[in-house]
Amino acid sequence: LAKEYLAVEERPVSLEELQTAKEAFITSTTKQILPIAAVDGIDFTQNKIALELLQRFKAVCEKESND
């Protein structure tokens, strides 16, 4: 789903990289797409991408449940 919207890389992320990030989120089967508010004192103020992906994910799930 995300690959249709943005470039995707699955890899470990260093704390140094997080220090320059505007947004962070995790994905899992049970949590779906979950924006991260802060890590180790680093605050993420934007959730635009995570919220957009969550909205798209929910739309796909709803469509599949109606089919």
Side-chain angles (χ1 to χ4, degrees), residues 2-49:
K3 292 176 184 178
E4 297 170 8
Y5 180 61
L6 52 98
V8 174
E9 270 186 64
E10 292 183 45
R11 62 178 176 78
V13 178
S14 70
L15 189 56
E16 290 79 24
E17 285 180 280
L18 286 176
Q19 290 172 338
T20 61
K22 296 177 184 171
E23 180 172 354
F25 59 89
I26 59 172
T27 62
S28 75
T29 303
T30 57
K31 298 291 184 191
Q32 300 175 352
I33 299 164
L34 184 64
I36 298 173
V39 172
D40 222 18
I42 303 165
D43 293 325
F44 302 104
T45 56
Q46 295 182 11
N47 291 317
K48 183 180 177 181
I49 294 171

Side-chain angles (χ1 to χ4, degrees), residues 1 32 54-67:
L1 179 66
Q32 300 175 352
L54 183 56
Q55 182 180 11
R56 289 171 182 246
F57 177 77
K58 287 181 176 183
V60 168
C61 290
E62 185 175 315
K63 182 180 180 215
E64 287 181 1
S65 68
N66 290 332
D67 287 344

